[in-house]
Amino acid sequence: HVQLVESGGGSVQAGGSLKLSCTATTNKYCLAWFRQAPGKERERVARIDPDAGTRYYEDSVKGRFTISQDDAKRTLYLQMNSLKPEDTATYYCAADTRRIRDHTNCLTTEFNTWGQGTQVTVS
């Protein structure tokens, strides 16, 4: 079991920046960022495998977003720069509790546990 708490959302003008945080109760699972805009399906934003040092980004955010993870703080981050109106969405932290992170490629897993989300609005 893991609990996920997102924070850092807000309202910014186009071109601005935000940094999202996701604090987890355990580091033993893969974590990733998703988002869901009104009327749309939830989509992947970024994934990270801290053990392999690998990262994945959706094409729409490449060069603008950076995912990172601090195991000591049990926190996942998403630095978002050059924000666009199309980035407006509820951003969710997700975990795969079906597999142990140390034995998993976190860039290929499916996620089954979600935080409550944090709202990002870009105008």
Side-chain angles (χ1 to χ4, degrees):
H1 178 73
V2 62
Q3 291 180 309
L4 307 169
V5 180
E6 302 96 335
S7 62
S11 298
V12 299
Q13 294 181 325
S17 298
L18 286 172
K19 187 173 184 178
L20 307 183
S21 298
C22 168
T23 300
T25 54
T26 177
N27 270 346
K28 68 179 181 179
Y29 302 123
C30 296
L31 302 175
W33 286 104
F34 288 70
R35 68 186 180 187
Q36 187 169 23
K40 295 186 177 181
E41 298 291 325
R42 186 158 48 197
E43 67 173 349
R44 295 179 300 272
V45 175
R47 294 181 173 185
I48 185 170
D49 190 321
D51 306 306
T54 52
R55 294 169 174 82
Y56 162 85
Y57 300 96
E58 288 291 329
D59 287 343
S60 62
V61 307
K62 286 182 179 178
R64 300 188 299 119
F65 290 13
T66 302
I67 187 171
S68 61
Q69 188 164 329
D70 186 333
D71 279 346
K73 297 181 179 179
R74 295 188 292 186
T75 301
L76 182 74
Y77 301 99
L78 187 67
Q79 177 66 51
M80 306 185 295
N81 298 325
S82 301
L83 283 163
K84 304 175 180 179
E86 67 188 61
D87 297 317
T88 295
T90 301
Y91 284 70
Y92 297 92
C93 181
D96 175 14
T97 63
R98 302 174 69 91
R99 299 167 177 83
I100 302 300
R101 194 188 85 184
D102 288 348
H103 304 292
T104 303
N105 180 353
C106 290
L107 271 58
T108 64
T109 60
E110 295 186 358
F111 295 86
N112 64 347
T113 303
W114 307 85
Q116 292 300 305
T118 184
Q119 180 65 39
V120 173
T121 301
V122 184
S123 60

